[in-house]
Amino acid sequence: MTVYLNGSYVERAAAKVPVDDRGFLFGDGVYEVTRAYDGVLFEWERHLRRLERGLEGLGISVAASVRDGLAEISERLLRENGLESGDATVYLQITRGVAQRTHYFPPPGTPPTVFLSASRLAVPDEIRSKGAAAIAIPDIRWGRCDLKTVNLLPNVLAKQQAVVAGAFEAILVRDGTVTEGASSNVLAVKDGVLRTHPLGPRILAGITRDVVFELAREAGISVAETPVTVAELSGVSELMITATTADVMPIVRLDGRPLGDGRPGPVATSLHTAFRARMERQCARAGAR
Ligand code: PLP
């Protein structure tokens, strides 16, 4: 596997980051996971915008030449790692760089660390066909969940709790409402309306969430950015999560109890079909250019 680190393409095992990297010491950095299909990045512009918002939010400056080269680096990694067909992801991480350990920022001009790698994505279609299980747990994260930082400890603990419970995802609850998943956004169908938490500091603006909401509107499904309350949760007709690595995944069991009829519902199924079609169409068109 070839990866990209600070201007060089190197074997994964040879890619080394110094122990004084602020990503290692503080989780002081941002990341993106971008979907690729047939060697073409899906919704790259949206990922780049979110990355730029994150860098701005953390006050990490990246040269325009670096930012403008990220798509090309991603595509080269897909090519060089034999990922020109089928489903893959590109992981991208930018930290505040290497500097003597101080909580405050290092001197201006400290170059950020830029790392990218591409991997095959095993699309979880088998789980999707039956629907996945989830647990609901308190959302203990900080007040800027809109920034996609590598400081993921609460998400790591939440996901591990889900795995231990035999579940696919942990659904996070704050002040009596569902915010999002440990690594996904959460959408529910209630009284015929597709609902999700509004954008803001409590959730990450998921790219899949955005695309799925657009597809739902196009399909004439009523949508609302109104959070689902815990009291409503057990009575929703459908629950689903969206994420770059899972597309649209129906949730059919919550805390060990079946939701609805315990099978993937029609809205989740049709949105997943539409999402997949949009991705394949967009990537084929871009690849043909
Ligand atoms: N929310 C959180 C906390 C995430 O970590 C992720 C993805 O990793 C998402 C939502 C979904 O975002 P996207 O659809 O851009 O992958």
Side-chain angles (χ1 to χ4, degrees), residues 126-207:
E126 212 175 303
I127 300 174
R128 188 179 349 268
S129 65
K130 297 192 187 77
I135 56 169
I137 60 170
D139 187 347
I140 59 165
R141 298 173 303 160
W142 72 325
R144 290 303 306 275
C145 299
D146 53 322
L147 301 175
K148 196 167 170 69
T149 82
V150 293
N151 214 312
L152 286 170
L153 203 42
N155 310 60
V156 166
L157 296 177
K159 191 70 106 184
Q160 181 61 17
Q161 221 175 308
V163 168
V164 168
F168 187 80
E169 181 59 303
I171 288 175
L172 307 178
V173 174
R174 195 189 291 253
D175 297 338
T177 65
V178 172
T179 51
E180 60 181 335
S183 62
S184 62
N185 292 107
V186 178
L187 290 72
V189 181
K190 172 90 178 133
D191 302 326
V193 180
L194 181 67
R195 282 167 49 187
T196 195
H197 196 286
L199 295 181
R202 289 190 165 195
I203 68 160
L204 182 76
I207 309 300

